[in-house]
Amino acid sequence: MSSYDVDARPIPADSLPPAAPKSTVAAAGAVRSGPYPKPKVPVSPVLSWGSLGREAGRRPKSILDAGQSRLVSSGRVAIAMALREMHIGAGDSVLVPSYHCASMIEPVTWSGATPVFYRINPDTSVNLDDIAAKVGPTTRLLLAANYYGFPQQLEQLRAFCDERGLLLLEDCAHCFLGEYRGQPVGSFGDYAIASSMKFFPIYEGGALVSARHSLANVQLHSAGLGFEGKAALSTLEDSFQYGRLGAVKALLRLPLVLKNLLWKRLKARRAGAPPSLAPGSSDGGFAFDPYWMGMRSSVFSRLMMRLVSHRRMGEKRRRNYLKLEAALTGLPGARPLFPTLPDGVYPWGFPLLTDDPQRVFATLKWAAVPVIRFGEYLWPGVDASVCAVSVDLSRRVLQFPVHQELREDELDWIISMVRHALSPQGTTTQ
């Protein structure tokens, strides 16, 4: 997320979320500068009693239906493990999209391979002509991302790679659920990866999957009791912060106090740098740490992936997406990145293409609206000369949550705040 230093004009007090405290109303009416406030609505799923509803009816296909799988601690770790399984290393080139986050590129550079950035089209589809022009004697792998949960033309990418003897890594970090041409996402790549923490109410989690190769040699082990405890308690604390699981919060009040005291002691002993108990992707970092390769996802996260209703997840994500689409389509200065929501797509978020992104983004961030910009920080050297479309999308696309744990009043509040930010009154000054 961005942290531009900007000021915001007053946000209407009646536009704050229903449960906002009075102090928040006062703060929203003032011009401020400094770090943005924490979102008042969860950006990612948080655990609730509704999360554990029983399955009924048709269950959506997921990447785990594509082939053998291993549940690891993050999507970037899964990418690194896929590269290792494909023996990608020094002297090799990997075709990577110019529209990306650091988590997609860091494992490639860690492996010793050279990332070669290819162009994408305005609808986020792969530019096959540009890829064809960049295939060279050292090219071994194409990494393709299904942005925001919308699959690429995967059969074309598979055919392209087969014709040239290339491997295909399908990045499904944005689409744990979904299918393409009747096949689960992840079915077309030699390997595929997912980021389960984007779809389930868990603190950490990723997946390595292969529909074409055995994963028998991929052995995983526990990261230890500290990691197991942090994964569970952090998930619960996120839920408590957003008003879920109140009865559980009361029961765990003392253990959580003791945990926080222990954590302060650890920080004091390590001069402000406590030992890492979770991969950087969980803590919001941007550095790839190979320590987490070979570590399995926590027991708590794996349990949640079994208990959380996939059908509810899919239905609510589609419903929330369509509600945002209906409410925000046709507004001045903005349009949905994707004009339709195809069957079999269960989005990660709702991407809105805006004409004045810095002003709108800052206005929403100051109002504590959960908004992010995927690909906001592109890899050094990736500029308009490499792919003007990618630079444009990284600046102009604002993404809003559609996850299954959004309450109706929370989604309505997000809509009202976005509409306000896009109106002439929703201005900021620097």
Side-chain angles (χ1 to χ4, degrees):
M1 299 181 189
S2 178
S3 57
Y4 295 129
D5 249 354
V6 294
D7 297 330
R9 290 188 181 179
I11 302 299
D14 60 358
S15 294
L16 291 163
K22 292 182 179 179
S23 59
T24 304
V25 176
V31 175
R32 297 166 294 165
S33 63
Y36 290 125
K38 188 176 180 65
K40 295 186 178 74
V41 174
V43 178
S44 300
V46 291
L47 188 61
S48 70
W49 295 119
S51 306
L52 309 178
R54 296 183 63 181
E55 294 280 4
R58 180 179 176 272
R59 177 175 172 148
K61 294 177 181 178
S62 80
I63 188 175
L64 299 185
D65 297 316
Q68 295 184 39
S69 63
R70 295 290 184 271
L71 299 180
V72 295
S73 58
S74 71
R76 81 179 71 182
V77 166
I79 291 176
M81 294 175 69
L83 296 173
R84 185 175 63 185
E85 290 301 297
M86 292 182 283
H87 306 289
I88 301 295
D92 297 328
S93 297
V94 177
L95 292 163
V96 295
S98 50
Y99 187 40
H100 56 260
C101 65
S103 296
M104 298 165 66
I105 313 302
E106 288 162 345
V108 175
T109 60
W110 168 82
S111 74
T114 300
V116 176
F117 295 92
Y118 62 80
R119 297 175 182 172
I120 63 166
N121 299 314
D123 63 354
T124 74
S125 62
V126 167
N127 188 320
L128 277 173
D129 291 337
D130 190 60
I131 288 180
K134 289 176 176 173
V135 173
T138 63
T139 307
R140 292 199 52 214
L141 171 67
L142 169 63
L143 188 157
N146 297 317
Y147 295 106
Y148 302 104
F150 290 73
Q152 297 282 346
Q153 296 181 337
L154 295 167
E155 81 288 0
Q156 291 186 17
L157 297 183
R158 182 72 264 174
F160 179 94
C161 289
D162 290 343
E163 289 170 3
R164 292 162 177 79
L166 302 178
L167 296 161
L168 176 61
L169 176 55
E170 193 177 337
D171 187 333
C172 300
H174 296 183
C175 56
F176 191 93
L177 300 179
E179 58 185 88
Y180 180 77
R181 299 290 175 91
Q183 298 297 315
V185 291
S187 298
F188 293 82
D190 288 272
Y191 292 86
I193 69 94
S195 180
S196 45
M197 69 179 80
K198 291 182 174 68
F199 285 80
F200 292 86
I202 53 180
Y203 177 71
E204 54 75 37
L208 172 65
V209 176
S210 181
R212 294 180 164 229
H213 306 281
S214 172
L215 297 182
N217 292 329
V218 180
Q219 301 298 316
L220 303 176
H221 59 275
S222 172
L225 290 177
F227 167 70
E228 296 287 350
K230 183 173 183 178
L233 289 175
S234 294
T235 299
L236 293 173
E237 285 180 316
D238 284 345
S239 295
F240 301 157
Q241 181 175 1
Y242 288 106
R244 276 71 166 178
L245 303 179
V248 178
K249 179 180 180 179
L251 290 172
L252 293 181
R253 190 180 304 277
L254 180 59
L256 289 173
V257 169
L258 295 175
K259 186 269 293 184
N260 290 333
L261 290 174
L262 175 61
W263 195 244
K264 287 181 180 178
R265 284 196 169 191
L266 287 172
K267 291 178 76 172
R269 290 180 183 178
R270 294 287 297 271
S276 177
L277 295 180
S281 53
S282 295
D283 287 328
F286 288 92
F288 171 71
D289 185 354
Y291 168 80
W292 294 97
M293 291 184 65
M295 306 287 190
R296 70 168 62 93
S297 183
S298 66
V299 172
F300 184 88
S301 294
R302 286 181 282 134
L303 177 63
M304 288 299 102
M305 290 178 66
R306 285 180 172 272
L307 296 179
V308 167
S309 169
H310 289 203
R311 184 186 180 206
R312 174 179 177 270
M313 181 196 304
E315 289 179 348
K316 284 185 170 287
R317 282 179 177 267
R318 286 183 61 86
R319 187 189 70 184
N320 292 341
Y321 185 100
L322 291 171
K323 183 169 182 176
L324 280 164
E325 180 182 68
L328 302 180
T329 297
L331 294 179
R335 64 175 177 82
L337 180 61
F338 301 101
T340 60
L341 179 64
D343 292 339
V345 171
Y346 303 93
W348 170 37
F350 180 82
L352 187 71
L353 193 64
T354 57
D355 294 340
D356 190 5
Q358 185 162 326
R359 178 189 66 78
V360 175
F361 183 78
T363 299
L364 293 171
K365 292 289 284 186
W366 278 123
V369 175
V371 54
I372 64 175
R373 292 200 281 199
F374 172 77
E376 182 176 6
Y377 303 107
L378 300 177
W379 201 253
V382 178
D383 55 21
S385 67
V386 176
C387 181
V389 169
S390 295
V391 173
D392 187 57
L393 294 179
S394 73
R395 293 172 178 170
R396 293 178 59 204
V397 174
L398 307 185
Q399 178 186 332
F400 304 95
V402 299
H403 60 76
Q404 66 275 14
E405 299 305 332
L406 284 175
R407 293 171 174 165
E408 202 68 28
D409 62 332
E410 292 173 334
L411 187 59
D412 289 340
W413 175 70
I414 291 173
I415 290 171
S416 70
M417 295 305 292
V418 175
R419 292 176 70 92
H420 167 75
L422 291 171
S423 71
Q425 292 78 26
T427 59
T428 63
T429 57
Q430 292 191 351

